[in-house]
Amino acid sequence: MDKVIFVVLDGLNAKTAHNHMGFLEHLVEKGIMAAYTVKSEMPAQSRPLYEVLQSGVPSSENGITSNRTVRRSKERSVFEIAKDNGLKTGAASYYWVSELYNRAPFQLMEDRIQLDTDSLIEHGIFYHEDHYPDSHLIADGDYLIRKKATDYTLIHSMNIDDAGHKFGAGSKEYVQATVRVDAELSQYIWRWMNEGYQIVVTSDHGMNDYHTHNGISDEDRLVPLYLFSEKVIIKDFRKEGAVVPQLEIAPFLCRLLGIPAGDRMQAIQGILMKRGSDDDAAE
């Protein structure tokens, strides 16, 4: 099965993930998931990096240069390529994702729930408040997976980022938000695995002790990457100091889905695939 669940835990830095994501780290320790560290693009802001994760094109080229850039993406995204190849797309996500790939600006009364549409994200449940509970958000994504049979599903949570902005990356509140979403994911991931889904968990950017993110520090830019797929080598590559460029995530998602990568996406070099897993259609 080439279906992919792409979980983006907004604002989660690599250090906090490694120290406090007990369930995901358990899967790494037991050889069930692979683990990497990813170095995010800059600026380390949310909307620009949502576009990077889906298009594989840096801000200097894609034009989404800050959180204030409110318009649709002009790049060929994973959503678009998946839809063009007959796959069902879905997202349970913050509304900025809807603005990038469906319609901008977001219309609260009309765009909160978008099901059975002809948009790039065919099935979407979008929230607009950063404290929208991650427990609800993951349940929204699971609804799309179960009831709409989405092949490519983005599940994008904001509670860690929200806690970081309020209290800083060194706070107990930031760690507690991380622990809560790890526990929530533990209720779903076993079933998703058993149903044959490939799972990718990462973040857009990190968080620093100044309650923000934007710059060049490791706290701002280094984020986790957890992978479950028969197509990848399962190993904790962090022990070898491996750091994956964030621009590789979009073409990697295409590879897992068995679809061609976009013309502007770069080659995958940092994420190690199993021999024979390179689908010609994804080259």
Side-chain angles (χ1 to χ4, degrees):
M1 179 187 290
D2 289 335
K3 294 187 175 185
V4 171
I5 298 170
F6 183 35
V7 180
V8 176
L9 304 177
D10 204 296
L12 176 60
N13 65 39
K15 178 181 176 181
T16 302
H18 181 72
N19 288 334
H20 299 289
M21 297 291 282
F23 174 70
L24 290 176
E25 289 293 332
H26 168 69
L27 297 181
V28 174
E29 187 176 86
K30 297 303 180 184
I32 298 171
M33 271 190 157
Y36 290 86
T37 298
V38 169
K39 189 169 188 177
S40 74
E41 283 287 299
M42 291 196 296
Q45 293 187 26
S46 293
R47 196 188 297 257
L49 298 186
Y50 301 164
E51 172 72 337
V52 167
L53 288 169
Q54 297 296 333
S55 73
V57 178
S59 293
S60 56
E61 298 178 27
N62 68 43
I64 306 297
T65 57
S66 80
N67 288 339
R68 298 181 181 181
T69 310
V70 182
R71 64 163 173 79
R72 289 211 38 207
S73 166
K74 297 178 181 179
E75 303 297 332
R76 190 157 165 77
S77 67
V78 180
F79 287 116
E80 182 176 2
I81 299 169
K83 187 171 182 290
D84 286 350
N85 282 271
L87 302 182
K88 293 183 181 179
T89 60
S93 177
Y94 197 57
Y95 74 98
W96 289 359
V97 172
S98 176
E99 289 184 324
L100 280 167
Y101 304 110
N102 279 7
R103 179 169 75 167
F106 185 79
Q107 303 294 324
L108 177 60
M109 299 298 182
E110 300 176 18
D111 296 344
R112 165 84 172 96
I113 298 182
Q114 305 174 44
L115 301 178
D116 302 299
T117 73
D118 193 39
S119 302
L120 297 185
I121 303 173
E122 297 166 284
H123 306 285
I125 302 176
F126 300 101
Y127 61 97
H128 60 283
E129 294 181 334
D130 294 14
H131 60 274
Y132 183 73
D134 284 350
S135 58
H136 293 41
L137 178 276
I138 296 170
D140 292 343
D142 189 61
Y143 168 84
L144 299 177
I145 292 163
R146 290 184 297 109
K147 300 299 184 180
K148 296 300 179 180
T150 46
D151 300 298
Y152 175 55
T153 312
L154 170 66
I155 299 178
H156 165 234
S157 79
M158 285 290 286
N159 288 178
I160 297 171
D161 185 76
D162 188 46
H165 283 299
K166 291 174 179 175
F167 305 104
S171 68
K172 67 179 186 298
E173 289 86 358
Y174 183 75
V175 170
Q176 288 167 350
T178 302
V179 170
R180 281 195 299 272
V181 75
D182 181 70
E184 288 295 333
L185 286 171
S186 74
Q187 304 302 303
Y188 295 90
I189 281 181
W190 285 123
R191 197 191 77 235
W192 294 341
M193 287 178 172
N194 290 331
E195 291 175 351
Y197 288 90
Q198 301 170 102
I199 301 169
V200 178
V201 182
T202 191
S203 182
D204 50 349
H205 53 71
M207 183 69 63
N208 59 47
D209 289 337
Y210 297 105
H211 303 206
T212 191
H213 49 81
N214 185 62
I216 66 173
S217 73
D218 286 350
E219 290 77 12
D220 287 27
R221 297 188 69 185
L222 296 185
V223 300
L225 177 62
Y226 300 98
L227 305 175
F228 174 79
S229 171
E230 293 183 352
K231 297 182 180 181
V232 302
I233 296 172
I234 302 298
K235 184 178 178 181
D236 188 352
F237 290 97
R238 299 170 301 188
K239 296 178 179 179
E240 302 174 3
V243 178
V244 174
Q246 195 173 45
L247 293 174
E248 286 194 20
I249 299 299
F252 174 68
L253 292 169
C254 290
R255 180 71 59 81
L256 294 184
L257 289 164
I259 58 178
D263 292 341
R264 287 163 59 77
M265 295 179 185
Q266 70 176 39
I268 302 169
Q269 296 179 333
I271 303 173
L272 297 185
M273 311 290 291
K274 289 182 180 177
R275 185 172 298 178
S277 67
D278 293 351
D279 189 344
D280 291 339
E283 292 296 333

